[in-house]
């Protein structure tokens, strides 16, 4: 078996030297830059919505009559959780795949640009109706709350655009494999393919929900809708989306971080096994968001808790692999003391510093996830602002800081510029600012959730009730954390603009780590995605066939729409 480090190939029709900008084909460069640009705009607008929302909830601001708190809350969730994460992941994964596979296929670019156009159009349509006050249904858009029908059409376009990007990635991946028989695909490409496989599973659930159920109901073609069916289909999508973020993030931990610290990938086979477990076991975890829902039997919920906990194993494998990678790097440099390798890590490199802080945040985030997925303990925190704090630890800290760290090499790699010493210092400062702001805000959310403070509400005074008075201090800390985070967003946008347009010209590499031991390469059957897709489909069937058939049997009378102010 030939290993990837022994062979370098390019797609037919891909870039040659005169068509290469900063190590990537100009054709591929433009597609990644376009996706990243929308992600950065979404971060700025969604962050501003979150800042205002925090001020309103803590009592420091009263909104004008023409905009609702719930419009801000919806904009914050949709733009950051759906739009930012999707556009950034696609831009990053397409660029990295182009780097390791020698360019993207022509058909991939066609599907990619078509997907980008639909995603952008869908984002604009959905954002318009959110800001117009016609879609105050939050990013989860639970039925029977109803938004303007065109809000759902915008979301449908976003999902179809993502599916087109999936097809594009599969074309390049399979094309490379056909031209390189007997060669294991690069680890980064394996991660990319896994992310897009998960996106297909997630998108199919949400497409059935939005296109098959919500749009006909929103236009008035059917009078009622089944809320339990809607929640079940949404969380099959929503929980998978969480692990799409995480899988995108840990691709940088496994593949790029070793190169940055001057080490090597600890174990190619361990990484691929962790990826496969995430893909196979992921989707049924959506049911842990429904532990307190009616209509699901206790036995079924117990099964789903077990399936959810299967995701703990790749998380623990990743924690072990990251520590082993860092320790081996230190040992290779001559460190012999027990923890001396920790001291010589490149703490002054913003690319590494953002990643390591993201990894440290993943520890309490993972523990919180175990609490949320545990049947008994979940009943203490369910629907409290604890859950919001958990979301801000996972996507808001672990995922976002990883994305920020990626951007410190991805943007100059694409723009043909360099991360200067001053911009590197600003990157470290931005990481500290973001971590402090999120620690303050998310910590206050967790504490307030334990005191019973609800989520998704603009007013938490409850007419001066004594129980609610204990929440005021933590609401203030949440607002303070939001201010710090918005400062971090402004600093980050400044760094991104500098890296894209004004930093000195130069060559920046997309860091791809080498295997510590080439003999550790996985067997070729790991590239047989048909095996893992079949196993994932079986896992989904075990979890979802019984409840979905039960909901579809017609025993629920359905609900008419409720319009949110």
């Amino acid at each position: 078996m030939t290993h990837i480090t022994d062979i370098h190939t390019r797609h037919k029709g891909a870039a040659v030297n005169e068509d290469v900008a900063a190590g990537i084909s100009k054709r591929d460069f433009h597609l990644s830059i376009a996706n990243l640009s929308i992600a950065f705009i979404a971060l700025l607008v969604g962050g501003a919505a979150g800042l205002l929302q925090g001020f309103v909830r803590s009592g420091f601001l009263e909104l004008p009559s023409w905009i609702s708190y719930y419009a801000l809350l919806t904009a914050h969730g949709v733009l950051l959780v759906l739009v930012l994460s999707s556009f950034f992941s696609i831009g990053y994964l397409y660029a990295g795949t182009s780097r390791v596979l020698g360019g993207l296929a022509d058909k991939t670019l066609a599907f990619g640009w078509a997907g980008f156009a639909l995603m952008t159009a869908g984002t604009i349509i959905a954002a318009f109706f959110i800001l117009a006050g016609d879609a105050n249904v939050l990013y989860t858009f639970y039925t029977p709350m109803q938004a303007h029908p065109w809000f759902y059409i915008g979301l449908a376009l976003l999902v179809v655009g993502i599916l087109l990007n999936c097809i594009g990635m599969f074309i390049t991946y399979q094309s490379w494999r056909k031209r390189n028989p007997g060669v294991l695909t690069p680890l980064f490409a394996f991660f990319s393919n896994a992310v897009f496989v998960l996106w297909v599973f997630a998108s199919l659930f949400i497409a059935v929900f939005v296109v098959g159920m919500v749009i006909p109901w929103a236009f008035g073609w059917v009078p009622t809708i089944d809320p339990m069916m809607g929640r079940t289909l949404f969380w099959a999508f929503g929980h998978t989306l969480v692990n799409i973020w995480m899988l995108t993030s840990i691709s940088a931990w496994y593949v790029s971080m070793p190169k940055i610290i001057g080490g090597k990938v600890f174990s190619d086979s361990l990484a691929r096994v962790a990826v496969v477990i995430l893909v196979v076991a992921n989707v049924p975890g959506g049911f842990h968001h429904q532990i307190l829902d009616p209509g699901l039997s206790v036995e079924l919920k117990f099964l789903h808790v077990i399936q959810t906990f299967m995701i703990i194993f790749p998380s623990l494998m990743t924690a072990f692999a990251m520590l082993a990678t860092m320790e081996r790097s230190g040992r290779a440099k001559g460190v012999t003391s027990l923890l001396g390798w920790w001291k010589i890590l490149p703490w002054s490199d913003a690319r590494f510093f953002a990643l390591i802080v993201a990894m440290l945040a993943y520890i309490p985030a993972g523990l919180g996830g175990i609490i949320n997925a545990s049947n008994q303990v979940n009943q203490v925190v369910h629907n409290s602002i604890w859950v919001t704090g958990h979301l801000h630890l996972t996507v808001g800290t672990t995922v976002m800081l990883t994305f920020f760290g990626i951007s410190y090499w991805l943007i100059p790699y694409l723009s043909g510029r360099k991360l200067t010493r001053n911009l590197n210092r600003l990157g470290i400062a931005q990481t500290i600012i973001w971590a402090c702001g999120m620690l303050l805000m998310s910590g206050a959310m967790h504490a307030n959730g334990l005191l019973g403070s609800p989520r998704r509400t603009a007013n938490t005074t409850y007419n001066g009730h004594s129980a609610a008075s204990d929440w005021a201090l933590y609401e203030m800390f949440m607002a303070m954390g939001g201010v710090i985070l918005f400062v971090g967003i402004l600093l980050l946008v400044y760094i991104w603009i500098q890296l894209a347009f004004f930093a000195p010209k130069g060559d920046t590499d997309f860091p791809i780590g080498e295997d510590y031991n080439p003999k550790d390469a996985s067997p070729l059957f790991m590239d047989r995605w048909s095996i893992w897709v079949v196993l994932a489909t079986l896992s989904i069937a075990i979890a979802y066939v019984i409840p979905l058939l039960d909901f579809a049997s017609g025993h629920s009378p359905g609900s008419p729409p409720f319009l949110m102010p």
Side-chain angles (χ1 to χ4, degrees):
M1 180 181 70
T2 306
H3 192 258
I4 182 58
T5 53
D6 301 324
I7 187 168
H8 301 278
T9 61
R10 278 197 175 276
H11 280 275
K12 181 180 179 181
V16 293
N17 288 339
E18 61 269 20
D19 190 35
V20 172
I24 183 174
S25 162
K26 287 183 179 179
R27 309 177 317 151
D28 304 352
F29 152 84
H30 290 302
L31 180 57
S32 287
I33 281 292
N35 279 282
L36 293 174
S37 299
I38 300 298
F40 299 157
I41 294 171
L43 175 64
L44 189 59
V45 178
L51 177 67
L52 294 175
Q53 164 199 333
F55 283 153
V56 172
R57 184 180 171 105
S58 56
F60 293 126
L61 176 69
E62 184 173 342
L63 292 172
S65 59
W66 51 268
I67 189 166
S68 162
Y69 170 85
Y70 296 101
L72 292 176
L73 186 55
T74 304
H76 180 66
V78 169
L79 291 176
L80 297 188
V81 174
L82 298 178
V83 177
L84 165 63
S85 64
S86 299
F87 277 97
F88 188 93
S89 296
I90 290 170
Y92 160 63
L93 294 173
Y94 265 41
T97 302
S98 175
R99 160 74 166 79
V100 298
L101 298 187
L104 302 175
D106 293 337
K107 290 182 179 179
T108 294
L109 291 171
F111 276 102
W113 279 114
F116 171 79
L118 288 180
M119 290 173 66
T120 303
T123 298
I124 293 172
I125 292 170
F128 172 81
F129 286 100
I130 291 170
L131 297 178
D134 292 326
N136 298 335
V137 291
L138 315 189
Y139 95 92
T140 50
F141 52 95
Y142 289 151
T143 56
M145 294 189 298
Q146 189 182 85
H148 193 284
W150 277 90
F151 167 76
Y152 300 113
I153 291 177
L155 293 181
L157 291 175
L158 181 64
V159 171
V160 173
I162 290 173
L163 285 172
L164 292 181
N165 277 284
C166 295
I167 295 172
M169 179 59 71
F170 298 153
I171 289 172
T172 287
Y173 187 85
Q174 293 300 326
S175 173
W176 190 92
R177 287 191 62 208
K178 287 181 180 178
R179 291 195 324 278
N180 295 276
V183 181
L184 191 67
T185 53
L187 183 57
F188 186 92
F190 190 83
F191 269 101
S192 294
N193 201 64
V195 170
F196 283 95
V197 167
L198 279 181
W199 244 323
V200 170
F201 282 125
S203 299
L204 292 178
F205 277 100
I206 203 67
V208 170
F209 176 43
V210 173
V211 178
M213 295 176 58
V214 178
I215 289 178
W217 171 70
F219 274 108
W221 302 335
V222 293
T224 63
I225 196 167
D226 184 346
M228 274 302 300
M229 176 73 86
R231 282 175 59 83
T232 302
L233 291 173
F234 176 85
W235 280 116
F237 159 79
H239 182 76
T240 305
L241 184 65
V242 171
N243 283 291
I244 286 171
W245 308 327
M246 291 308 308
L247 200 52
T248 302
S249 298
I250 66 174
S251 70
W253 301 0
Y254 273 105
V255 180
S256 297
M257 189 270 289
K259 182 75 170 181
I260 293 170
I261 67 174
K264 295 183 178 181
V265 175
F266 170 70
S267 172
D268 177 274
S269 56
L270 182 148
R272 293 178 197 253
V273 170
V275 169
V276 166
I277 294 174
L278 269 173
V279 171
V280 171
N282 168 76
V283 177
F287 271 109
H288 84 259
H289 296 266
Q290 299 178 256
I291 287 178
L292 296 188
D293 282 10
L296 296 169
S297 68
V298 173
E299 293 78 14
L300 198 61
K301 291 178 181 179
F302 182 73
L303 170 65
H304 296 147
V305 166
I306 293 175
Q307 289 184 290
T308 300
F309 279 0
M310 290 178 65
I311 302 173
I312 297 172
F313 293 104
S315 299
L316 295 175
M317 293 165 65
T318 298
F320 170 76
M322 294 305 99
L323 290 172
T325 299
M326 290 183 274
E327 181 177 2
R328 275 188 167 175
S329 174
R331 301 296 181 210
K333 296 171 184 175
V335 175
T336 57
S337 61
L338 181 62
L339 296 176
W341 54 270
W342 183 260
K343 297 178 183 178
I344 68 167
L345 292 170
W347 297 99
S348 60
D349 188 332
R351 301 171 303 167
F352 169 76
F353 188 64
L355 296 188
I356 191 67
V357 175
M359 293 178 198
L360 293 173
Y362 192 45
I363 298 172
L367 293 174
I370 294 173
I371 291 171
N372 295 345
S374 301
N375 186 52
Q376 293 89 343
V377 187
N378 175 271
Q379 301 190 41
V380 177
V381 299
H382 189 84
N383 254 351
S384 75
I385 203 166
W386 162 288
V387 179
T388 312
H390 170 70
L391 181 65
H392 282 80
L393 264 185
T394 51
V395 62
T397 311
T398 297
V399 173
M400 285 297 103
L401 279 178
T402 300
F403 284 5
F404 299 164
I406 290 170
S407 68
Y408 297 147
W409 76 74
L410 180 59
I411 297 176
Y413 169 73
L414 295 172
S415 64
R417 298 180 185 274
K418 287 188 174 182
L419 178 68
T420 64
R421 182 175 299 179
N422 287 335
L423 290 176
N424 181 73
R425 289 172 180 163
L426 289 178
I428 292 174
Q430 195 280 336
T431 301
I432 295 172
I433 290 171
W434 191 268
C436 291
M438 199 59 77
L439 178 65
L440 184 61
M441 186 177 73
S442 178
M445 287 177 172
H446 279 85
N448 232 9
L450 292 176
L451 294 176
S453 180
R455 61 190 297 207
R456 301 189 177 111
T457 56
N459 188 319
T460 58
T461 62
Y462 285 85
N463 297 317
H465 193 282
S466 58
S469 63
D470 295 335
W471 305 336
L473 177 63
Y474 295 102
E475 301 280 1
M476 181 186 68
F477 287 147
M478 288 159 50
M480 291 170 57
V483 172
I484 297 171
L485 288 168
F486 193 70
V487 171
I489 289 175
L490 294 177
L491 179 56
L492 186 72
V493 170
Y494 171 79
I495 296 171
W496 283 345
I497 292 173
Q498 290 292 317
L499 290 174
F501 302 108
F502 302 111
K505 291 282 188 178
D507 292 332
T508 297
D509 191 24
F510 192 117
I512 300 293
E514 300 177 5
D515 288 347
Y516 178 80
N517 182 3
K519 294 181 180 179
D520 176 60
S522 301
L524 281 176
F525 77 82
M526 293 296 292
D527 276 339
R528 295 284 299 275
W529 275 97
S530 57
I531 300 174
W532 316 128
V533 169
V534 168
L535 290 177
T537 303
L538 179 62
S539 174
I540 292 169
I542 292 172
Y544 282 95
V545 167
I546 293 175
L548 289 181
L549 286 177
D550 187 39
F551 296 147
S553 64
H555 70 275
S556 172
S559 173
F562 288 83
L563 299 179
M564 293 296 292

